[in-house]
Amino acid sequence: MIDWLDEFRPPEFPDTSRALAEPQGLLAAGGDLTPAWLDCAYRKGIFPWNDPDEARLWWTPTPRAVITPDSFRIPKRLNREVRNSDLRVTTNLAFRQVVEGCSMPRPDSEGTWIDGDIEAQYPRLNKAGRALSVECWDQHGEIAGGFYGIIIGAAVFGESMFTRHSGASKVAFATAAPVLFELGVQLIDCQMKTSHLARFGMLEMNREEFESRLQSAVEQGPIPPLPGVLK
């Protein structure tokens, strides 16, 4: 059984060790998506994920999929694709458009977990420098894909990505990740392993190791701002 979080009280979460084994990582329900709640959650490795018509659910699965500066790699074939791509890559120029793109239904999914609260609250984090977006643009100036995430200290929490142009999300991540690591990011949290991101050197960590690495990263001072244009 999981705890119900009172949205009218200061944000507080159960110890992550109490997360369920089935469904894997489910920790609590309720609470809110204000910046204070989100900051408290992400610092502990907890993130919201639920269907829009469900109660708010909070998760902290183990093992945890991450990419670190030491593990990161770009396969040679993909590196050639990125170099030869005519897509332009920018950061934080179209945060709302990226979230909207990520919320659209996909062929392999029945719906989306990105609801109105997320679309309302996460742009506030972006304006405060606590969330980032990376955008790909085609030759006509139309957004072709990208991804967004939360950033606290030297930790980036990848939230979602989308593509309207073949390979756009791969180009966005392959272009942005090296810059993030050069600026001092210690860890990119991918939440759970996917074949899409596994090619970039994803590791799986148990809860103890992940939370230790996470604590070190979030306690660092903020990294310098990302350049507006990456490619």
Side-chain angles (χ1 to χ4, degrees):
M1 189 169 181
I2 59 174
D3 290 353
W4 180 265
L5 308 178
D6 186 348
E7 64 181 294
F8 296 104
R9 296 178 61 86
E12 185 177 0
F13 290 88
D15 190 280
T16 56
S17 64
R18 294 175 55 189
L20 300 182
E22 184 60 39
Q24 171 54 247
L26 179 59
L27 179 67
D32 205 350
L33 283 189
T34 62
W37 276 88
L38 292 170
D39 183 77
C40 180
Y42 282 99
R43 284 178 180 275
K44 298 175 183 293
I46 302 165
F47 58 88
W49 183 49
N50 51 270
D51 290 337
D53 57 352
E54 291 181 336
R56 182 71 57 205
L57 300 177
W58 300 90
W59 302 77
T60 174
T62 189
R64 194 65 165 251
V66 303
I67 300 174
T68 68
D70 291 335
S71 74
F72 177 70
R73 65 174 186 269
I74 303 177
K76 290 182 179 179
R77 180 177 178 181
L78 177 55
N79 201 25
R80 288 195 298 270
E81 288 181 32
V82 173
R83 290 201 309 268
N84 296 330
S85 172
D86 55 8
L87 294 171
R88 187 167 65 100
V89 183
T90 64
T91 66
N92 297 315
L93 296 187
F95 188 88
R96 288 184 181 273
Q97 283 180 263
V98 172
V99 175
E100 181 182 355
C102 291
S103 74
M104 294 293 101
R106 307 179 190 195
D108 58 349
S109 175
E110 295 182 358
T112 179
W113 57 273
I114 298 174
D115 59 19
D117 287 340
I118 290 175
E119 292 178 334
Q121 298 292 353
Y122 280 62
R124 296 178 62 192
L125 296 175
N126 178 246
K127 289 181 179 180
R130 302 294 289 275
L132 60 89
S133 63
V134 176
E135 309 92 11
C136 278
W137 307 88
D138 65 19
Q139 307 96 306
H140 307 291
E142 299 292 331
I143 194 163
F147 70 92
Y148 77 98
I150 305 297
I151 182 165
I152 302 176
V156 171
F157 305 84
E159 285 294 291
S160 188
M161 54 178 52
F162 80 105
T163 185
R164 294 174 183 161
H165 180 291
S166 178
S169 62
K170 292 185 295 185
V171 170
F173 189 82
T175 303
V179 178
L180 288 167
F181 289 131
E182 288 171 8
L183 291 174
V185 166
Q186 297 180 5
L187 177 149
I188 298 177
D189 174 29
C190 305
Q191 298 175 353
M192 291 178 283
K193 186 176 182 179
T194 66
S195 58
H196 186 65
L197 289 177
R199 74 192 75 188
F200 292 106
M202 181 180 289
L203 304 172
E204 288 190 299
M205 297 180 179
N206 62 34
R207 189 184 305 284
E208 182 178 3
E209 182 181 5
F210 168 71
E211 291 184 354
S212 175
R213 296 283 290 268
L214 177 63
Q215 183 177 4
S216 174
V218 299
E219 288 178 352
Q220 299 294 314
I223 66 169
L226 281 161
V229 178
L230 298 182
K231 178 180 181 294

